C-alpha cells in the first residue's frame, strides 16, 4: 500500500512500472512521468481491423511516445471478403494488417484461429497465454466481452484467462467496436485523448480496403462519430474509451 507523503507519483513511476495499474490510463501519457524503460503494450483483437478501429489512436500514441506496441490478431479474417476463398481472403487481410501496423508503428502477430469459428478451450488458453508471456506486457488491451460477434468474445475471454493465469501483473483494458451494434453495455472508466493521432489511426484503418474502409464518409459513419462522442466526454476533439478490469489485486493501492 502506498501512503500519502511517502512517495511522489512521479518517483513512483520512475522507480516501478508496477504502478501503472494504479492510475488512470490517460496519466501514462503525462510528460511529467518518466519510466525506467519503454512500456510493452499489447492489444489482442478478433480480426484484422478490430484493434485499429477500437484503439488505434491510443496504440499510435503509445508508439509515438517511444513505447513498444504489439498487436495480436486472433484470426486472419478468413471469412471477411464475400466471393473469395478463405485462403485468399486470409492472405489479403493479413497483408492489410501488416500495412496498418507499419503506420501505427506496431508489431503484428497472428494467432492463427479461423474467422467465424473461433475456439475457446484449454489448448487456446495456453496458446494465448504463451503469446502474451513472450511479449511480457506492461499494459494489455482487448475486446469488451459483451459483444455480438463471437470472435470478439473469444478474444476477450482468452485474454482475460491469460491475465489471471499470469498473476494479473499488468492492467487489462477493454476497448469498444461499433458500440450499440457489436459492443454492448459499454460504460467507460478511462478515456484517452487521440486528437494528435486521429489521422494516423484513420490511415491505418484505411489499409483495410477489403472491408470498405476507403472513404472519409464511411469512416465517419462508423468510427469518427465514436471518436467525436468520446471526445465530447472529456472536452477534446477526439478520444477513445476503455473499461479497466478491476481485480481484487488492483483494487487496493
Amino acid at each position: 500500500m502506498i501512503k500519502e507523503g511517502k512517495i511522489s507519483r512521479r518517483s513512483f513511476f520512475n522507480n516501478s512500472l508496477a504502478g501503472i495499474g494504479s492510475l488512470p490510463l490517460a496519466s501514462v501519457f503525462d510528460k511529467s512521468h518518466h519510466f525506467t524503460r519503454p512500456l510493452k503494450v499489447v492489444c489482442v483483437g478478433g480480426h484484422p481491423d478490430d484493434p485499429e478501429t477500437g484503439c488505434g489512436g491510443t496504440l499510435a500514441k503509445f508508439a509515438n511516445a517511444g513505447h513498444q506496441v504489439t498487436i495480436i490478431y486472433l484470426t486472419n479474417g478468413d471469412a471477411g471478403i464475400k466471393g473469395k476463398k478463405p485462403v485468399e481472403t486470409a492472405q489479403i487481410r493479413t497483408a492489410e494488417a501488416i500495412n496498418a501496423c507499419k503506420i501505427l508503428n506496431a508489431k503484428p502477430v497472428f494467432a492463427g484461429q479461423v474467422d467465424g469459428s473461433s475456439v475457446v478451450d484449454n489448448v487456446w488458453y495456453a496458446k494465448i497465454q504463451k503469446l502474451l508471456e513472450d511479449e511480457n506486457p506492461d499494459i494489455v488491451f482487448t475486446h469488451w466481452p459483451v459483444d455480438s460477434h463471437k470472435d470478439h468474445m473469444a478474444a476477450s475471454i482468452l485474454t482475460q484467462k491469460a491475465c489471471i493465469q499470469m498473476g494479473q501483473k499488468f492492467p487489462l483494458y477493454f476497448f469498444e467496436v461499433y458500440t450499440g451494434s457489436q459492443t454492448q453495455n459499454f460504460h467507460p472508466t478511462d478515456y484517452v485523448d487521440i486528437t494528435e493521432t486521429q489521422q494516423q489511426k484513420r490511415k491505418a484503418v484505411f489499409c483495410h480496403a477489403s472491408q470498405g474502409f476507403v472513404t472519409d464518409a464511411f469512416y465517419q459513419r462508423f468510427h469518427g462519430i465514436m471518436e467525436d462522442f468520446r471526445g465530447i466526454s472529456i472536452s477534446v476533439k477526439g478520444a477513445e474509451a476503455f473499461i479497466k478490469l478491476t481485480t481484487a489485486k488492483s483494487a487496493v493501492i
Side-chain angles (χ1 to χ4, degrees):
M1 179 177 290
I2 300 172
K3 296 182 179 179
E4 187 176 355
K6 291 291 185 179
I7 185 169
S8 72
R9 179 174 289 187
R10 178 168 180 169
S11 63
F12 186 45
F13 271 81
N14 283 337
N15 296 315
S16 174
L17 294 176
I20 294 172
S22 66
L23 296 173
L25 178 60
S27 68
V28 175
F29 300 105
D30 188 332
K31 293 183 179 179
S32 68
H33 295 151
H34 299 280
F35 299 99
T36 55
R37 60 166 173 77
L39 300 177
K40 295 181 179 181
V41 180
V42 176
C43 179
V44 182
H47 317 91
D49 79 37
D50 285 329
E52 293 90 327
T53 57
C55 58
T58 299
L59 297 180
K61 194 166 183 174
F62 272 112
N64 294 350
H67 302 299
Q68 299 172 13
V69 177
T70 298
I71 296 178
I72 298 175
Y73 299 97
L74 182 66
T75 78
N76 294 340
D78 319 56
I81 305 177
K82 292 182 179 180
K84 291 189 179 295
K85 295 180 179 180
V87 173
E88 183 181 4
T89 298
Q91 291 174 343
I92 291 171
R93 298 200 66 191
T94 295
E96 290 175 341
I98 291 172
N99 289 334
C101 283
K102 289 178 181 178
I103 291 173
L104 296 176
N105 297 312
K107 180 180 75 173
V109 174
F110 299 91
Q113 286 221 33
V114 177
D115 185 2
S117 300
S118 53
V119 177
V120 176
D121 62 13
N122 288 338
V123 172
W124 276 100
Y125 282 136
K127 286 184 178 181
I128 296 302
Q129 181 176 336
K130 178 62 166 58
L131 289 176
L132 286 175
E133 287 175 341
D134 289 344
E135 298 300 327
N136 192 26
D138 298 300
I139 299 176
V140 173
F141 296 91
T142 193
H143 289 273
W144 176 240
V146 186
D147 194 286
S148 63
H149 200 303
K150 61 182 179 181
D151 292 340
H152 297 176
M153 297 173 70
S156 183
I157 293 169
L158 291 167
T159 305
Q160 290 179 68
K161 181 62 174 177
C163 172
I164 294 171
Q165 289 298 112
M166 294 170 70
Q168 300 173 342
K169 61 182 181 181
F170 48 77
L172 176 61
Y173 292 92
F174 301 106
F175 61 82
E176 57 182 337
V177 288
Y178 292 162
T179 292
S181 177
Q182 291 186 338
T183 300
Q184 308 288 321
N185 298 332
F186 194 84
H187 303 290
T189 61
D190 291 78
Y191 296 82
V192 173
D193 178 0
I194 64 164
T195 302
E196 65 188 46
T197 57
Q198 277 185 291
Q199 289 306 312
Q200 188 176 357
K201 172 185 177 179
R202 184 171 297 216
K203 289 179 181 178
V205 173
F206 279 10
C207 287
H208 298 280
S210 69
Q211 304 306 293
F213 302 136
V214 292
T215 68
D216 287 333
F218 186 94
Y219 184 93
Q220 183 61 29
R221 177 184 175 189
F222 291 99
H223 308 297
I225 192 170
M226 289 178 60
E227 295 170 19
D228 294 343
F229 177 67
R230 296 309 184 188
I232 290 172
S233 299
I234 57 172
S235 301
V236 299
K237 180 176 178 293
E240 290 172 340
F242 303 90
I243 294 178
K244 180 181 179 182
L245 176 63
T246 301
T247 65
K249 183 175 181 178
S250 65
V252 179
I253 302 175

